[in-house]
Amino acid sequence: MSTQPSHIVSHAQGVETESVDADYFANRQLKQGAAGWVLLIGLGVAYVISGDYAGWNFGLAQGGWGGMFVATLLMATMYLCKCFSLAELSSMIPTAGGGYGFTRTAFGPWGGFLTGTAILIEYAIAPAAIACFIGAYCESLFGVGGWLVYLAFYVVFVGIHILGAGEALKLMFAITAVAAIALGVFIVGMLPHFDAANLFDIPVSEAAGASAFLPFGYVGIWAAIPYAMWFFLAVEGVPLAAEETKNPKRDLPRGLIGAMLVLLAFAGLILLVGPGAAGAKALMGSGNPLVEALESAYNGSTWMSQFVNLVGLAGLIASFFSIIYAYSRQIFALSRAGYLPRSLSVTNRNKAPVAALVVPGIIGFGLSLTGQGDLLILVAVFGATLSYVLMMAAHITLRLRRPEMPRPYRTPGGIVTSSVALLLAAVALVAGFLVDPRVVIGAAAIYALFIAYFALYSRHHLVSGTPEEEFAAIQAAEKALR
């Protein structure tokens, strides 16, 4: 079947858009109606739940418990405001492109590409970080870790996604439910051992503003921000399921906000009872902090620690599994529209984009071999925060310039809400440089390569007729008539 362009139809905004024949889109179809709002809440929680099991505790080493607590409050505010804003955008522009579609409508092709590739960096790197934590859990459970574990998980879970979205989403929901039960067991088990003094057992440094509450001073708050984000990172991926959702204008806002409320509850309780029972110092460098917290509180291994250890693996799997789904949908949308190589968006008979699943999986596996989960988190956070700034700017721009656009859901507080999220996202973007500037500069270099690809090649080969491009074209035409 031919997928070659038949002619160039537009030269607007410094890009060239080509028309394609019907076979092009016939070979790029997702399975519609696979998810309702309850499944979307599960998907949103699944994206993030691994952050409750491992990764957040590295923030204790950067800011102490007080620094991590303040950083978590700031990031919880940012994510809640962002989810309210994205709920509006996703109800207006329900496409598989998610943030790329929002900024494409607000700022044109360049804005869409810059956002889409920033999201892609976040979602392609996050599974590699999670694979490192999975390896640590498997090592403690079975005595086997390292590259064989990373490879096995990539092969199995990419393979399940290739079988189809409906089956993958339902399995993801079940795994997430089990992982959430284990978090409940952990919280209940730690409560009797809580002692507020344990929160402040990290020695006080000589940094400016250092105290028992902020042992690394004021700068520790800022340095802890990337790890506070790990409690919520990737929940914004819910809109990527738009084209596979039964009623996206209603279900996407419910899924986003519902998932965020669940994550807020888990983040607050875990940050309080974990270090409060085991001590902040004991957890700040752990690859398996919940299990170590239980064993510290109960003076050794118990059925509870063994249960959380075993089921904690399910939490890591849930996020690993779901973020693979997210990166494949982001790549699918960008590829279908010509921003990335078009072959990446071809779907199989199960309506799964095989190349969009496999290619980032190979790259992620390679990165997981570094074993540096904490540094990989920084790369993912760089892409995430950059996309947040752009998406919140899109919300503000569309509110101001396109107030007449239909908004099935409206953000409480309007542009004030999205402005708060934008400001905090900008703060979080800079925070990564305080932890390890080399890593963030490396991530920026990868981003620059994407930009060069778009500037030199793909902006001359975009595809007309995709949902994101058609939506933007319709809105532009309506604006021109006024």
Side-chain angles (χ1 to χ4, degrees), residues 399-413:
R399 272 291 185 103
L400 295 176
R401 296 182 182 176
R402 313 288 277 279
E404 78 289 346
M405 288 180 67
R407 289 170 167 82
Y409 175 88
R410 296 184 69 88
T411 301

Side-chain angles (χ1 to χ4, degrees), residues 85-121:
S85 302
L86 292 181
E88 177 176 300
L89 290 169
S90 64
S91 74
M92 296 163 59
I93 311 166
T95 69
Y100 140 61
F102 309 152
T103 52
R104 170 67 182 87
T105 303
F107 303 124
W110 270 100
F113 180 81
L114 291 173
T115 305
T117 47
I119 294 171
L120 181 55
I121 288 173

Side-chain angles (χ1 to χ4, degrees), residues 85-440:
S85 302
L86 292 181
E88 177 176 300
L89 290 169
S90 64
S91 74
M92 296 163 59
I93 311 166
T95 69
Y100 140 61
F102 309 152
T103 52
R104 170 67 182 87
T105 303
F107 303 124
W110 270 100
F113 180 81
L114 291 173
T115 305
T117 47
I119 294 171
L120 181 55
I121 288 173
E122 172 192 359
Y123 288 148
I125 300 300
I130 296 168
C132 295
F133 301 136
I134 288 174
Y137 265 73
C138 287
E139 183 75 39
S140 66
L141 276 171
F142 314 116
V144 178
W147 72 269
L148 279 174
V149 171
Y150 308 154
L151 179 62
F153 275 84
Y154 267 106
V155 169
V156 169
F157 290 105
V158 167
I160 292 173
H161 277 294
I162 290 173
L163 295 178
E167 294 74 13
L169 288 172
K170 290 172 185 174
L171 178 58
M172 197 185 307
F173 187 88
I175 295 172
T176 304
V178 172
I181 290 170
L183 289 180
V185 170
F186 170 78
I187 292 165
V188 171
M190 296 299 278
L191 278 173
H193 299 271
F194 177 82
D195 183 345
N198 290 331
L199 300 173
F200 312 115
D201 66 349
I202 295 176
V204 179
S205 72
E206 297 181 358
S211 64
F213 183 73
L214 295 174
F216 302 108
Y218 301 126
V219 73
I221 297 172
W222 207 348
I225 281 176
Y227 301 104
M229 288 179 64
W230 205 237
F231 278 128
F232 313 106
L233 187 78
V235 67
E236 70 277 2
V238 170
L240 294 170
E243 293 179 31
E244 294 157 280
T245 300
K246 294 175 183 177
N247 186 345
K249 293 182 178 181
R250 180 198 67 185
D251 293 342
L252 290 174
R254 289 183 179 183
L256 265 167
I257 296 168
M260 188 60 204
L261 294 177
V262 173
L263 294 169
L264 281 171
F266 278 141
L269 289 168
I270 289 168
L271 182 59
L272 185 65
V273 303
K281 185 178 180 181
L283 301 184
M284 64 184 191
S286 173
N288 194 350
L290 301 195
V291 174
E292 289 194 21
L294 284 166
E295 291 181 348
S296 174
Y298 286 87
N299 297 315
S301 178
T302 66
W303 71 266
M304 201 178 302
S305 63
Q306 292 173 3
F307 174 75
V308 170
N309 201 10
L310 180 62
V311 181
L313 186 58
L316 294 171
I317 290 170
S319 291
F320 182 78
F321 193 21
S322 57
I323 297 176
I324 288 173
Y325 171 87
Y327 76 54
S328 70
R329 269 46 181 181
Q330 187 66 78
I331 291 174
F332 169 83
L334 289 169
S335 167
R336 181 177 60 181
Y339 291 85
L340 294 177
R342 298 179 188 179
S343 59
L344 294 173
S345 56
V346 176
T347 52
N348 63 10
R349 63 180 181 179
N350 297 320
K351 308 300 182 184
V354 177
L357 287 161
V358 172
V359 173
I362 294 172
I363 295 171
F365 169 68
L367 291 171
S368 71
L369 296 178
T370 65
Q372 300 294 314
D374 54 339
L375 298 184
L376 291 171
I377 287 175
L378 292 181
V379 180
V381 165
F382 168 81
T385 50
L386 189 57
S387 73
Y388 300 166
V389 169
L390 292 166
M391 288 189 288
M392 293 305 95
H395 181 271
I396 295 167
T397 299
L398 292 174
R399 272 291 185 103
L400 295 176
R401 296 182 182 176
R402 313 288 277 279
E404 78 289 346
M405 288 180 67
R407 289 170 167 82
Y409 175 88
R410 296 184 69 88
T411 301
I415 63 173
V416 173
T417 300
S418 48
S419 296
V420 169
L422 190 155
L423 177 62
L424 290 172
V427 170
L429 178 61
V430 177
F433 288 92
L434 295 178
V435 182
D436 194 326
R438 296 170 301 171
V439 173
V440 180

